[in-house]
Amino acid sequence: MGDFSLDLNEDQLQIQKWVHDFAEEVVRPAGAEWDEREETPWPIIEEAAQIGLYSWEFVANAFSDPQGLTFALACEELCWGDAGIAMSILGSTLAVSGIAGNGTPEQIAEWVPQCFGTPDKIQLGAFGVSEPDAGSDVSSLRTRAVYDEAKDEWVLNGTKTWITNGGIADVHVIVASVEPELKARGHASFVIPPGTPGLRQGQKFKKHGIRASHTAEVILEDVRVPGSCLLGGKEKLDARLAKAREGQSTRVQAAMSTFESSRPLVGAQALGIARAAYEYSLEYAKERVQFGRPIIENQGIAFKLADMKTEIDAARLLVWRACWMGANKKPFLNGEGSMSKLKAGEVAVRVTEEAIQILGGYGYVREYPVERWHRDAKIYTIFEGTSEIQRLVIARNISGMHIK
Ligand SMILES: Cc1cc2nc3c(=O)[nH]c(=O)nc-3n(C[C@H](O)[C@H](O)[C@H](O)COP(=O)(O)OP(=O)(O)OC[C@H]3O[C@@H](n4cnc5c(N)ncnc54)[C@H](O)[C@@H]3O)c2cc1C
């Protein structure tokens, strides 16, 4: 017997089933309601917290899987239930990635649990990089962090936009420029503790999809945080800035290291939506009768479903490969993390559109879930790096050239 296997182990299967059951019994039935309400589904997050799914312990346990698959499995199942609600449950993990990717062990121990709170007192985390004039081009951030040496405090000013849980989170992780001349190499990440004066929510956005997830501007006006809130610490930052000033290459920038580790997981979320739409339209095509026979008996419909399944499985292989590479510290030499997110996001959009086509008119109305899944899928070609930016990362990696 060879070593290569795609079989999930007992632990992985158990967690997959546990999250699937929650998605089936709690998340999916609530999807349409919270999509219409366009509000954070607090009761569902509470239920997830009560069973231990919304907790730092679960995230820590899932991330300790040596194969790197457990959290991806959870993401796929939750989004199979409903992506908007899933994003409300998973949104805090973006802040966790920011803290874990850049913070010291002490900072991780202090702040990660606060991104979740307890079942009796739910807390949220948010991760803010994007700004009105700095989306794909993260290097042009305008939010500034200035060090007040006398008080050992950092003072942050700026506006973040499109922030998941922005303004309603307890812990905000904010990426700011400490030395603008150094562009992205002059960035650093800061934890803004709960209740810090000067941080407030701006506009809350009304969205096309994932409407149960809160997305808003975050405004920072003279926000003062202790020196200990600089993730990684001042010594490390000073050393990194000195290297950058000398023109030497530095470790990946603050925001980029967060995105690298989270892209395959975002791909796994997109897969969940695609699989939901595929399964639903497969069953529908077997039952819907036109011209005296189930519509699936027409190759025009059956081949669509064959393509949908093939594309979903291909995307999952890319997602699992990237998760496995990440967990085993294999460098993404060809942009494998980006490949997985690119493929899964585009598959989710295509598969959900085909699902609408298979349901015909029923696919276009809100009584059936597929139109919502199509709206939800679209964000996966936009956030955490648009499809164009993923292609840019892959193209730069495979060519070694500075493609613009
Ligand atoms: C619902 C939602 C939730 C989000 N959550 C968060 C969050 O929690 N935290 C956070 O920091 N951000 C978040 N974002 C922001 C998201 O990551 C950005 O929207 C995304 O990076 C794109 O930036 P932009 O919207 O400014 O588009 P732009 O960067 O202005 O891009 C516009 C278009 O130009 C293309 N383009 C840009 N540059 C190039 C290039 N060099 N080559 C080819 N094409 C290019 C893009 O691909 C895109 O098609 C969220 C966004 C949304 C909509």
Side-chain angles (χ1 to χ4, degrees):
M1 279 245 290
D3 279 334
F4 181 77
S5 167
L6 289 170
D7 287 338
L8 298 177
N9 64 34
E10 270 309 308
D11 285 351
Q12 291 162 341
L13 286 169
Q14 216 177 347
I15 291 181
Q16 186 185 43
K17 179 172 183 328
W18 177 61
V19 181
H20 181 81
D21 289 349
F22 181 76
E24 187 167 31
E25 288 156 24
V26 180
V27 176
R28 172 110 22 129
E33 177 191 341
W34 291 97
D35 173 62
E36 286 297 331
R37 287 173 67 162
E38 298 194 49
E39 286 169 11
T40 300
W42 291 105
I44 315 277
I45 303 177
E46 272 160 28
E47 278 196 59
Q50 273 151 15
I51 63 161
L53 177 56
Y54 185 78
S55 71
W56 69 268
E57 290 94 337
F58 171 68
V59 173
N61 178 36
F63 272 101
S64 66
D65 174 1
Q67 291 172 336
L69 296 183
T70 302
F71 203 72
L73 297 172
C75 288
E76 179 176 338
E77 296 312 316
L78 273 178
C79 284
W80 175 91
D82 180 78
I85 294 175
M87 187 51 61
S88 284
I89 294 173
L90 295 168
S92 296
T93 57
L94 259 181
V96 172
S97 306
I99 296 166
N102 301 294
T104 62
E106 295 74 31
Q107 288 171 324
I108 294 169
E110 179 173 6
W111 296 112
V112 169
Q114 295 201 48
C115 292
F116 297 93
T118 62
D120 297 331
K121 189 174 175 292
I122 301 286
Q123 299 200 161
L124 301 176
F127 183 66
V129 186
S130 307
E131 297 182 0
D133 294 321
S136 302
D137 180 11
V138 177
S139 69
S140 58
L141 292 189
R142 291 208 188 137
T143 298
R144 280 297 311 269
V146 176
Y147 188 52
D148 178 346
E149 201 159 358
K151 293 188 174 160
D152 182 27
E153 285 179 348
W154 287 90
V155 187
L156 283 87
N157 279 287
T159 299
K160 296 290 175 185
T161 195
W162 315 122
I163 308 306
T164 302
N165 293 341
I168 61 166
D170 300 272
V171 176
H172 288 80
V173 176
I174 297 290
V175 180
S177 172
V178 290
E179 207 162 311
E181 313 79 66
L182 294 177
K183 306 279 273 181
R185 291 185 301 168
H187 292 174
S189 298
F190 298 85
V191 168
I192 315 294
T196 303
L199 183 151
R200 65 182 169 87
Q201 182 189 307
Q203 180 189 0
K204 179 187 168 186
F205 296 102
K206 288 179 81 70
K207 303 195 295 293
H208 177 65
I210 57 161
R211 301 198 303 181
S213 166
H214 172 102
T215 313
E217 284 177 332
V218 174
I219 296 163
L220 301 121
E221 281 167 341
D222 290 329
V223 172
R224 283 187 166 266
V225 295
S228 58
C229 287
L230 164 66
L231 288 169
K234 182 96 170 45
E235 217 171 283
K236 206 164 153 197
L237 173 69
D238 287 342
R240 183 159 60 80
L241 293 179
K243 258 176 115 177
R245 273 182 225 116
E246 285 165 17
Q248 295 177 30
S249 68
T250 54
R251 214 178 61 83
V252 279
Q253 299 90 27
M256 286 302 124
S257 60
T258 303
F259 288 139
E260 263 187 4
S261 60
S262 55
R263 277 181 181 151
L265 300 173
V266 178
Q269 294 166 23
L271 275 177
I273 308 175
R275 200 183 98 216
Y278 157 73
E279 288 174 5
Y280 196 95
S281 50
L282 174 64
E283 288 314 306
Y284 186 88
K286 287 190 207 161
E287 278 164 24
R288 174 71 175 169
V289 173
Q290 288 294 282
F291 300 101
R293 57 180 186 266
I295 58 171
I296 198 170
E297 287 184 15
N298 303 295
Q299 282 189 356
I301 297 293
F303 282 12
K304 273 190 203 306
L305 286 156
D307 285 345
M308 288 154 80
K309 173 72 172 147
T310 305
E311 288 284 289
I312 291 169
D313 283 9
R316 188 180 296 102
L317 287 173
L318 288 178
V319 166
W320 284 12
R321 177 179 73 167
C323 289
W324 176 83
M325 289 176 75
N328 288 285
K329 308 260 179 292
K330 306 248 180 234
F332 290 156
L333 295 177
N334 299 298
E336 286 85 349
S338 290
M339 281 185 205
S340 69
K341 195 260 176 185
L342 169 65
K343 180 71 181 171
E346 297 203 336
V347 164
V349 172
R350 210 161 36 244
V351 164
T352 52
E353 192 190 338
E354 289 290 54
I356 294 181
Q357 197 63 27
I358 291 169
L359 267 76
Y362 298 98
Y364 198 68
V365 294
R366 295 203 178 179
E367 278 70 20
Y368 287 74
V370 289
E371 68 80 29
R372 183 173 81 251
W373 292 335
H374 185 49
R375 287 188 284 108
D376 291 347
K378 185 57 194 162
I379 191 60
Y380 287 88
T381 66
I382 297 172
F383 67 4
E384 295 248 348
T386 62
S387 286
E388 291 76 15
I389 295 303
Q390 308 302 341
R391 288 191 169 88
L392 195 68
V393 172
I394 299 162
R396 283 181 182 168
N397 273 284
I398 59 174
S399 67
M401 311 280 282
H402 191 74
I403 317 282
K404 291 207 172 52

